[in-house]
Structure formats: C-alpha cells, structure tokens
Amino acid sequence: MTAALREMRWWDIDPVLELEKDLFPEDAWSRGMFWSELAHARGPGATRRYVVAEEAAEEGAGAGTRLVGYAGLAASGDLADVQTIAVARDHWGTGLGGRLLTELLRAATAFECAEVMLECRVDNTRAQKLYERFGFEPIGFRRGYYQPGNVDALVMRLTDPATSVNGVQGTEING
C-alpha cells in the first residue's frame, strides 16, 4: 500500500510528535517548534512547506489513517533548508523518504531557491545515502549540533533543486 502525501496541518501535530519521539528520542522537536513552523506554511507570505505521509490503517486498527512520515522545508531568499524528514521504521526501504524529499525539492523550486541545505547526523548513513542519490554533497560539519547527545551534523548542499527533482523522478515510483 502506497502512502499518500498531503500538506501537514495543525491536527497532525500529535501523531507527528509520536513518530518524532520514536525516531529521535534524544533530540525530538517540541510541539511548539512544529506549531511555529506551521504558522509560516500558509498564505501569500508562506516560507515553509510541511507534508505528511499517511496510509489507510489496517483492518481492526481503529480510525481510517495512520501517519507514516513527515517532512519540512524552510525558504529564505534563494536558499532553502530541509528542516526535517522522518519515516516510520516499518516503512524504511520503501522509497517513502525519497518521495518526501522530492516533495520538499519541488517546494524549494516553487520558492525559487537556487540551493538547498541540510544537516544530517553523522551516524545516520541511511539518510546520507538518500541525500547523495538526490545530488546533495557534503560541505562541512557542525560540531555538537544535536543535543543533548552532543552528536555532530554533516552539512550537505544541493545546487539547483529543480534539476535534481527531474533527475530522480523514478525514485518516487520504484522505491
């Protein structure tokens, strides 16, 4: 079953926080951080794009859908920054991370950004490989970026996100 992507809204914050705390227990974002980001995601002056991935819940699992991923991007001038990407553990390796990143790069293109930056934990090789497939290149480190664990971040940059999106469209379908 393929998860559907849609705009993140305020009512998604609770299920997003559940996934956030499961995947990033030491440095999870707070409810206030998500509220602040979503406050800049709508209207004519929007500078953020946040999306969620949801799928139909399994029979007997209760309500209709289950959140299985989310992602966010901030734009300022001609520079965009991937704020977060998260995929539920049971969806790792399905291509969902690539679909979420594709959506963020489309947003960066719509915001007319020439470059996209991101920080990634140095110990998260799965994410680093995803970003490299999309053309991101490592450009430096931020020492002790992730707290409280004092984990370094690898800083990566992508120039011309429009070209990258066009070059990896197959990822969206083929996983």
Side-chain angles (χ1 to χ4, degrees):
M1 172 182 321
T2 301
L5 303 185
R6 64 168 176 78
E7 177 184 11
M8 184 188 292
R9 300 299 305 274
W10 65 266
W11 52 81
D12 295 311
I13 291 177
D14 283 342
V16 163
L17 283 172
E18 285 180 34
L19 190 53
E20 176 84 2
K21 289 173 184 171
D22 176 53
L23 296 172
F24 313 112
E26 288 188 3
D27 49 12
W29 282 23
S30 68
R31 178 181 312 280
M33 291 170 78
F34 281 107
W35 271 105
S36 178
E37 289 296 294
L38 291 182
H40 299 282
R42 303 200 85 192
T47 58
R48 306 289 195 274
R49 172 75 171 146
Y50 277 77
V51 294
V52 294
E54 62 183 6
E55 67 178 14
E58 295 178 18
E59 271 189 56
T65 60
R66 174 180 166 239
L67 192 131
V68 294
Y70 59 90
L73 176 111
S76 179
D78 65 351
L79 181 65
D81 190 76
V82 173
Q83 301 287 350
T84 186
I85 294 183
V87 174
R89 294 176 198 277
D90 63 341
H91 281 67
W92 287 1
T94 66
L96 181 55
R99 291 178 58 215
L100 288 164
L101 183 55
T102 296
E103 182 62 29
L104 295 186
L105 296 179
R106 285 186 180 134
T109 301
F111 284 129
E112 300 180 353
C113 295
E115 290 185 334
V116 180
M117 305 285 291
L118 61 82
E119 291 87 16
C120 179
R121 288 177 64 109
V122 293
D123 57 359
N124 190 344
T125 55
R126 175 185 295 273
Q128 291 170 32
K129 288 177 183 176
L130 169 68
Y131 301 138
E132 288 169 356
R133 281 200 318 268
F134 278 76
F136 282 85
E137 297 178 339
I139 61 167
F141 295 93
R142 295 189 196 277
R143 301 286 176 211
Y145 183 79
Y146 292 98
Q147 294 296 330
N150 203 36
V151 177
D152 295 344
L154 175 66
V155 180
M156 301 181 83
R157 176 178 59 208
L158 172 69
T159 54
D160 196 1
T163 301
S164 179
V165 169
N166 293 333
V168 294
Q169 285 180 336
T171 302
E172 200 169 344
I173 296 167
N174 299 322

